[in-house]
């Protein structure tokens, strides 16, 4: 449904998104109002202490103010419950109610300041219980005000005014040149807004040229995706939930006879068992690529204790380890999950940046294979690699027609390929222990990256 229009601009919230927040605040306000009423009733006529006169007026006006706020919240919550996603007509009066509610923040702010001044006054000599109650009231008042300011910051749309201006210009039938210039400016502004949002979300990672290119690419992707839609985040969440429910409904209603129109030829029993055995065996390598967080997740009570012995060793591996591995936790978990020895690892990389995925190369003597395990999405850098979803042309020697591929995954695959082939890592592995095949374990983001970067010969297998 379209975003809410307030103060002549669009906001990133719908008119049906005030039900649960309104009900939650209504519960707090009603509880607060009842507590103040009980406090005033118990101490009525006993405000003879120093500062008691101001306290009596403070509680009376606070009761009236809370009653007005409760009435406004009740109206907002009830109105937001009306209509449907596709029928916002019954909620057309919601902006007026929100104006009333926002106007009530002014006296609430003033009264919160008054309560703060009263609490800070050292000359007040009232009962301790009464002072504590007013202190709690002041804390709740400021918490709600701060929460409201944060909500305004979250749901504020920097392009809201542009959207209204664009709709107004479209109704005036501007000339083609004016329309093109207007759309270009709006697209440019939208790209900058999305880029600032992404930078804010990824403020904890070090930013370089690759990051800036990825931020711009992702910003353009989001801008192009949301440019012709008037949706709010709750609509997307509701759509994904309904889609999931619909998929479950379809899957549960399928008749097994309809699923298998033509029964497949029965596979060879030995081949199927061998494939399942290989999948289970190499799944250990795929999971080990995630390092100690995944190992601790699988062993929540004993994981850290088992890894404790590896933290005190200085030279765990007899090969170069690239990237940070604080206290050898990552490598220790890889040893635990794969069951290999230190000498079985040819190359280990924990280096993680945009388009650069951690992986390791190991010798599997049990299967006589070289295992290249590539980690999937785990860090913020991996998420940015996933979201760099521009299309790039891919040229393959044995394929007549070129195809379009995911830009981020392709660059990650090329980085792995260069390090394995050009840096001689695979040749080093074959020199140390010639094996029958090279096998790649894949997981999530690494599925496409590893399969794209694997050497295409008859000695390469991918799981």
């Amino acid at each position: 449904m379209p975003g809410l229009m307030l103060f002549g601009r669009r906001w990133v919230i719908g008119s049906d998104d005030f039900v649960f927040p309104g009900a939650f605040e209504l519960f707090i306000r009603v509880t607060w109002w009842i507590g103040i009423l009980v406090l005033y009733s118990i101490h009525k006529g006993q405000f003879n202490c120093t500062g008691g006169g101001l306290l009596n007026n403070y509680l009376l006006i606070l009761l009236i103010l809370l009653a007005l706020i409760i009435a406004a919240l009740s109206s907002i919550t009830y109105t937001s419950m009306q209509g449907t996603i596709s029928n916002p007509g019954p909620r057309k009066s919601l902006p007026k109610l929100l104006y009333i509610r926002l106007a009530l923040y002014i006296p609430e702010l003033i009264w919160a300041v008054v309560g703060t001044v009263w609490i800070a006054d050292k000359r007040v000599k009232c009962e301790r219980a009464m002072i504590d109650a007013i202190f709690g009231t002041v804390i709740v008042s400021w918490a709600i005000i701060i929460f409201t300011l944060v909500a305004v910051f979250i749901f504020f749309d920097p392009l809201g005014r542009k959207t209204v201006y664009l709709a107004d210009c479209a109704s005036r039938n501007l000339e083609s040149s004016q329309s093109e210039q207007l759309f270009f400016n709006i697209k440019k502004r939208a790209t900058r807004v999305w880029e600032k949002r992404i930078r804010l979300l990824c403020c904890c990672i070090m930013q370089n040229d690759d990051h800036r290119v990825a931020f711009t690419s992702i910003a353009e992707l989001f801008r192009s995706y949301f440019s012709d839609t008037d949706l709010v985040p709750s609509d997307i969440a509701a759509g994904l939930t309904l889609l999931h429910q619909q998929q479950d409904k379809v899957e549960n209603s399928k008749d097994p006879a309809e699923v298998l129109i033509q029964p497949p030829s029965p596979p060879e029993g030995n081949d199927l068992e061998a494939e399942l055995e290989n999948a289970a065996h190499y799944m250990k390598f795929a999971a080990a690529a995630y390092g100690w967080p995944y190992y601790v997740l699988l062993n929540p009570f004993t994981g850290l204790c088992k890894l404790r012995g590896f933290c005190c060793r200085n030279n765990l591996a007899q090969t170069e380890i690239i990237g940070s591995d604080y206290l050898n936790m990552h490598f220790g978990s890889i040893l635990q999950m794969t069951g290999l020895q230190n000498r079985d690892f040819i190359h280990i990389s924990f280096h993680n940046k945009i388009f650069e995925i951690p992986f390791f190369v190991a010798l599997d003597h049990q299967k006589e294979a070289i295992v290249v395990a590539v980690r999937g999405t785990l860090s913020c850098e991996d998420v940015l690699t996933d979201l760099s979803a521009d299309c790039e042309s891919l040229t393959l020697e044995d394929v007549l027609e070129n195809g379009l591929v995911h830009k981020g995954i392709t660059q990650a695959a090329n980085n792995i390929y260069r390090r394995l082939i050009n840096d001689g890592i695979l040749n080093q592995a074959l020199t140390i222990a010639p094996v029958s095949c090279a096998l790649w374990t894949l997981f999530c983001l690494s599925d496409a990256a590893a399969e794209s970067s694997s050497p295409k010969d008859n000695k390469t297998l991918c799981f």
Side-chain angles (χ1 to χ4, degrees):
M1 64 168 299
L4 187 67
M5 298 297 300
L6 281 177
F7 302 106
R9 67 182 307 121
R10 177 187 178 276
W11 295 74
V12 191
I13 189 171
S15 58
D16 59 346
D17 293 335
F18 293 88
V19 178
F20 293 106
F24 179 72
E25 185 179 356
L26 189 61
F27 171 77
I28 295 177
R29 296 284 185 176
V30 171
T31 305
W32 185 6
W33 186 82
I34 293 175
I36 296 298
L37 181 62
V38 171
L39 177 67
Y40 183 78
S41 301
I42 293 176
H43 295 86
K44 186 177 181 180
Q46 302 178 7
F47 299 102
N48 298 324
C49 57
T50 304
L54 177 60
L55 177 61
N56 182 65
N57 297 330
Y58 176 83
L59 292 177
L60 280 176
I61 297 179
L62 182 61
L63 285 172
I64 298 173
L65 182 60
L66 286 176
L68 294 175
I69 294 176
I70 289 172
L73 286 174
S74 301
S75 302
I76 291 173
T77 305
Y78 175 78
T79 304
S80 184
M81 294 171 60
Q82 306 305 307
T84 60
I85 294 179
S86 58
N87 180 28
R91 300 189 295 271
K92 62 182 179 181
S93 61
L94 186 64
K96 298 179 182 178
L97 295 174
L98 289 175
Y99 288 138
I100 297 175
R101 174 65 188 94
L102 292 173
L104 290 174
Y105 273 109
I106 298 176
E108 184 177 11
L109 176 62
I110 296 174
W111 224 234
V113 173
V114 172
T116 304
V117 172
W118 188 86
I119 291 294
D121 192 352
K122 300 297 183 180
R123 296 173 298 175
V124 174
K125 303 297 182 181
C126 296
E127 296 182 10
R128 188 62 191 175
M130 189 178 300
I131 295 177
D132 292 340
I134 302 303
F135 180 77
T137 295
V138 171
I139 293 297
V140 173
S141 298
W142 283 114
I144 293 177
I145 292 173
I146 293 174
F147 178 80
T148 302
L149 294 176
V150 172
V152 170
F153 175 77
I154 293 174
F155 296 113
F156 177 78
D157 185 4
L159 300 174
R161 184 78 65 180
K162 298 284 185 180
T163 304
V164 177
Y165 179 67
L166 177 61
D168 181 62
C169 291
S171 63
R172 298 180 185 177
N173 298 321
L174 291 180
E175 296 180 0
S176 177
S177 59
Q178 292 177 305
S179 299
E180 291 179 0
Q181 183 64 31
L182 178 63
F183 277 108
F184 174 79
N185 293 335
I186 292 178
K187 288 181 179 180
K188 187 176 179 180
R189 174 71 186 280
T191 302
R192 289 201 303 266
V193 169
W194 279 110
E195 188 171 351
K196 289 179 180 179
R197 291 172 176 172
I198 297 170
R199 289 181 183 275
L200 180 62
L201 291 175
C202 302
C203 60
C204 58
I205 64 176
M206 185 179 297
Q207 299 181 11
N208 52 27
D209 292 338
D210 290 336
H211 288 76
R212 284 188 285 271
V213 172
F215 290 157
T216 303
S217 175
I218 298 171
E220 291 177 352
L221 174 68
F222 278 96
R223 187 264 302 163
S224 62
Y225 184 79
F226 291 104
S227 61
D228 58 346
T229 58
D230 189 6
L231 297 176
V232 294
S234 61
D235 294 335
I236 300 175
L240 293 175
T241 302
L242 293 175
L243 178 61
H244 180 68
Q245 293 179 354
Q246 182 65 20
Q247 290 176 340
D248 291 342
K249 183 178 179 180
V250 171
E251 291 293 331
N252 295 332
S253 62
K254 280 185 178 179
D255 189 352
E258 297 178 359
V259 177
L260 297 176
I261 301 177
Q262 293 182 354
S265 58
E268 295 291 337
N270 294 335
D271 293 343
L272 179 59
E273 291 180 2
E275 289 296 326
L276 292 176
E277 180 185 355
N278 286 334
H281 175 76
Y282 289 110
M283 181 62 192
K284 298 184 299 182
F285 293 86
Y290 281 84
W292 71 265
Y294 188 73
Y295 180 75
V296 173
L297 180 64
L298 295 179
N299 305 275
F301 300 106
T302 61
L304 291 177
C305 295
K306 291 180 179 179
L307 294 177
R308 184 177 57 182
F310 295 95
C311 299
C312 302
R313 303 181 187 179
N314 295 325
N315 297 315
L316 276 176
Q318 300 174 357
T319 186
E320 181 183 9
I321 297 180
I322 299 177
S324 176
D325 184 19
Y326 184 68
L327 296 178
N328 296 319
M329 295 284 285
H330 284 306
F331 186 68
S333 64
I334 293 175
L335 290 174
Q336 289 280 358
M337 298 182 71
T338 59
L340 300 180
Q341 302 297 321
N342 298 357
R343 61 179 179 274
D344 296 327
F345 290 89
I346 307 301
H347 181 83
I348 302 174
S349 175
F350 299 116
H351 181 70
N352 188 203
K353 289 185 178 181
I354 295 181
F355 311 134
E356 299 180 23
I357 311 173
F359 69 96
F360 67 84
V361 181
L363 299 177
D364 183 11
H365 299 286
Q366 179 181 348
K367 297 292 184 179
E368 295 184 349
I370 298 174
V371 180
V372 181
V374 185
R375 197 190 75 184
T377 302
L378 183 64
S379 65
C380 183
E381 289 85 353
D382 297 334
V383 174
L384 293 175
T385 301
D386 289 335
L387 292 177
S388 299
D390 287 345
C391 294
E392 285 190 350
S393 179
L394 178 66
T395 303
L396 299 177
E397 296 178 359
D398 300 332
V399 179
L400 296 178
E401 296 183 2
N402 298 333
L404 297 178
V405 293
H406 188 286
K407 174 183 176 181
I409 293 179
T410 303
Q411 293 193 20
N414 290 333
N415 287 328
I416 295 176
Y417 183 86
R418 284 193 296 268
R419 296 175 66 179
L420 291 176
I421 304 302
N422 299 348
D423 295 349
I425 296 176
L426 283 183
N427 289 335
Q428 178 186 356
L430 291 171
T431 302
I432 295 175
V435 294
S436 59
C437 70
L439 183 136
W440 297 63
T441 59
L442 317 176
F443 213 88
C444 298
L445 163 64
S446 61
D447 290 1
E451 189 167 359
S452 300
S453 59
S454 59
K456 300 300 185 288
D457 55 42
N458 56 2
K459 295 183 179 180
T460 303
L461 303 175
C462 291
F463 280 84

